[in-house]
Amino acid sequence: MPTPTKGPRLGGGPAHERLMLANLSQQLFEHKRITTTVTKAKRMRPYAERLITFAKRGDLAARRRVLAQLTDKSVVHELFTSIAAAMEDRNGGYTRITKIGNRKGDNAPMAVIELVMEPVATKATVAEAERATEKAAAAPAAPVDTPADSTAAEVSAEEIPADEQAPEVGSEQAAEVATDNAEAEYPGSHAPLESGEAPEGFDVKGNKNSMKYHVPGSRWYAGTTAEIWFDSPASAEAAGFDPAGGAAAQKLR
């Protein structure tokens, strides 16, 4: 067994201390966690972990070594079957000590010592998690809202296809769009103006290329060409247009 630490013993003699450590370890294996003083928890830790090391061997000699320390055969069986299996991939650090403050009465510092039963993250698992993180970082981000004052250049250059990017107000391209879409085809809609501005009362943009609509203040609103204007998202959806980026991204601001 480990060499006892220097300083006062826990009990009146070495035999008493060994019995105390064995009883504490037996309670730990039975309940998986116990509350004791910080001094006892620190003194018991190497004792209990050495017994777990014997249990991981699993042979008859190791079982006899443990039975010489622990008196409850059911606890020894639990140690060799359940606990040893949980610690199979762990190379040490079988216990965890957490300080919980001082005890009422004598003000002794207390701690909880427990078995670390969580699975160990192997190198393969860590590598797989890192690859998943890199893949997620490389994937395009989900649509999120941007401030309404975002410029068309800031939005369209990165997010909007070239055939859907809005022309400048008053440009020849805006007049061409108005000419190509001179007639409103749906209830609650309005044809584009030659100036490229929104008709009064119609501020929901509809794009026929993508069959998406955009409400004011949404992410792609400033950089999207309005080939048809709607007075509300309901009118746009009645015409067969879908919300760009999903309904959550196209809520009226």
Side-chain angles (χ1 to χ4, degrees):
M1 300 307 293
T3 302
T5 58
K6 295 182 179 180
R9 295 191 180 93
L10 297 179
H16 188 195
E17 183 180 64
R18 285 194 296 270
L19 289 174
M20 291 180 65
L21 296 178
N23 289 335
L24 288 170
S25 299
Q26 185 166 285
Q27 293 296 313
L28 175 64
F29 298 146
E30 181 178 357
H31 302 288
K32 306 302 185 293
R33 57 182 295 163
I34 60 173
T35 301
T36 183
T37 62
V38 173
T39 302
K40 288 182 179 179
K42 291 181 178 180
R43 193 72 64 86
M44 181 189 66
R45 187 176 200 170
Y47 187 98
E49 292 191 355
R50 183 65 183 274
L51 295 178
I52 294 174
T53 301
F54 280 124
K56 289 175 64 177
R57 296 180 186 176
D59 54 12
L60 180 59
R63 187 177 291 266
R64 286 175 174 172
R65 290 285 298 271
V66 175
L67 282 171
Q69 307 297 325
L70 307 181
T71 58
D72 193 332
K73 293 183 179 180
S74 62
V75 174
V76 175
H77 178 75
E78 175 76 9
L79 174 62
F80 274 76
T81 56
S82 176
I83 298 175
M87 304 292 183
E88 183 177 0
D89 296 329
R90 191 175 294 277
N91 296 324
Y94 308 127
T95 58
R96 179 189 298 121
I97 296 176
T98 305
K99 295 181 180 180
I100 58 174
N102 294 352
R103 181 169 55 192
K104 293 182 179 180
D106 60 358
N107 205 36
M110 303 296 292
V112 172
I113 180 170
E114 57 187 338
L115 298 176
V116 183
M117 305 289 287
E118 296 86 357
V120 180
T122 60
K123 292 183 178 180
T125 304
V126 173
E128 183 178 356
E130 290 178 351
R131 287 194 298 269
T133 303
E134 293 175 357
K135 184 177 181 181
V144 295
D145 297 333
T146 55
D149 58 355
S150 297
T151 64
E154 292 174 345
V155 179
S156 63
E158 182 177 357
E159 301 291 348
I160 304 175
D163 58 351
E164 297 181 20
Q165 292 184 10
E168 294 183 5
V169 175
S171 64
E172 295 182 1
Q173 187 180 0
E176 292 177 1
V177 172
T179 302
D180 295 339
N181 301 274
E183 297 182 359
E185 305 174 7
Y186 312 103
S189 65
H190 195 289
L193 301 179
E194 291 187 4
S195 64
E197 298 177 346
E200 185 176 356
F202 297 83
D203 56 0
V204 177
K205 289 184 176 182
N207 186 276
K208 293 181 180 179
N209 291 326
S210 61
M211 290 302 291
K212 304 289 186 181
Y213 71 83
H214 306 259
V215 301
S218 60
R219 183 176 189 180
W220 301 283
Y221 184 84
T224 302
T225 301
E227 296 179 336
I228 186 170
W229 292 90
F230 293 98
D231 57 3
S232 66
S235 298
E237 293 182 3
F241 287 72
D242 297 322
Q250 297 300 327
K251 291 181 179 180
L252 287 176
R253 299 304 188 269

